[in-house]
Amino acid sequence: MVWQWALVIVAVAFAVLVIFLIKTLQAGTKTLENTAQTLKEVQKTMDELTYEVKQIIRHTNDITLDANHKLKQLDPVMESVKNLGQLLNEVTLVSQQYSHRMIEKAKHHRENKEKQKRENGGAALLPESEESPAVQSYKATYGTEGRSGEGVGVQKVVKWIDTGAAVWQKFRR
């Protein structure tokens, strides 16, 4: 009889064990179903995001190509600005040299005039002809019209600048 009781206890223990295993498996099944549902939602979201990201990348590529195209169109303008800067630099240099020469001529003319005054006892000599060096120096410095024609010197500077620019353009080609 002990033997029968032991068999019944083993059978009941086995039944209880099976019931607990079934409940554990059911809970595991629910967890796996929830995980599968979550993974489906994540996959759907990833698919939508992937499509959007691809669209953004395509749009960014289009913008980049357009920007590169426009920058390439600006290259000649930038080259022209660079050349203009060089030209203005050279024009400024020529103008400085011309101004320096004109100042030196004026100083030399003034020194000659003062020297003549000293040599003649303080009285300035009037030139005898249009061919005298003093008249030629004066004409070279101030132009042929004297004080009323001071615009002639400016015209000469402008003419020199135009000539320098034309020579520079020919040199560049």
Side-chain angles (χ1 to χ4, degrees), residues 42-52:
V42 167
Q43 183 64 38
K44 182 179 176 184
T45 304
M46 288 299 293
D47 289 342
E48 291 172 1
L49 287 176
T50 301
Y51 176 76
E52 292 296 321

Side-chain angles (χ1 to χ4, degrees), residues 56-73:
I56 289 172
I57 289 173
R58 284 187 189 114
H59 187 66
T60 303
N61 286 340
D62 291 343
I63 289 172
T64 302
L65 289 174
D66 187 46
N68 284 338
H69 176 70
K70 288 178 180 176
L71 285 173
K72 285 181 182 175
Q73 288 178 337

Side-chain angles (χ1 to χ4, degrees), residues 6-45:
L7 194 59
V8 170
I9 292 175
V10 170
V12 170
F14 184 73
V16 170
L17 180 63
V18 169
I19 290 173
F20 280 115
L21 282 176
I22 289 174
K23 286 188 177 189
T24 303
L25 288 174
Q26 286 176 345
T29 303
K30 286 182 184 178
T31 302
L32 286 175
E33 286 174 357
N34 287 339
T35 303
Q37 182 65 26
T38 303
L39 285 175
K40 285 180 184 177
E41 291 174 8
V42 167
Q43 183 64 38
K44 182 179 176 184
T45 304

Side-chain angles (χ1 to χ4, degrees), residues 6-169:
L7 194 59
V8 170
I9 292 175
V10 170
V12 170
F14 184 73
V16 170
L17 180 63
V18 169
I19 290 173
F20 280 115
L21 282 176
I22 289 174
K23 286 188 177 189
T24 303
L25 288 174
Q26 286 176 345
T29 303
K30 286 182 184 178
T31 302
L32 286 175
E33 286 174 357
N34 287 339
T35 303
Q37 182 65 26
T38 303
L39 285 175
K40 285 180 184 177
E41 291 174 8
V42 167
Q43 183 64 38
K44 182 179 176 184
T45 304
M46 288 299 293
D47 289 342
E48 291 172 1
L49 287 176
T50 301
Y51 176 76
E52 292 296 321
V53 168
K54 285 180 182 177
Q55 292 293 62
I56 289 172
I57 289 173
R58 284 187 189 114
H59 187 66
T60 303
N61 286 340
D62 291 343
I63 289 172
T64 302
L65 289 174
D66 187 46
N68 284 338
H69 176 70
K70 288 178 180 176
L71 285 173
K72 285 181 182 175
Q73 288 178 337
L74 284 177
D75 283 345
V77 173
M78 292 299 145
E79 187 67 27
S80 295
V81 168
K82 178 184 169 190
N83 291 340
L84 180 63
Q86 290 173 346
L87 177 65
L88 288 176
N89 214 2
E90 291 180 15
V91 166
T92 303
L93 181 63
V94 168
S95 297
Q96 286 175 338
Q97 290 172 348
Y98 181 75
S99 297
H100 183 67
R101 276 192 247 133
M102 294 303 290
I103 290 170
E104 290 299 320
K105 282 184 180 180
K107 285 180 183 177
H108 182 67
H109 177 66
R110 194 175 310 137
E111 289 171 359
N112 284 342
K113 195 173 182 182
E114 289 175 4
K115 184 178 176 182
Q116 284 179 353
K117 279 184 182 180
R118 277 185 267 133
E119 289 176 356
N120 296 323
L125 289 177
L126 294 175
E128 296 179 357
S129 70
E130 291 286 316
E131 305 300 317
S132 74
V135 171
Q136 289 176 357
S137 175
Y138 184 82
K139 284 182 179 179
T141 304
Y142 299 106
T144 57
E145 297 178 18
R147 291 208 176 251
S148 63
E150 287 179 2
V152 174
V154 173
Q155 291 173 352
K156 284 185 178 181
V157 170
V158 171
K159 186 176 178 182
W160 273 101
I161 291 172
D162 287 342
T163 303
V167 168
W168 171 248
Q169 290 296 328

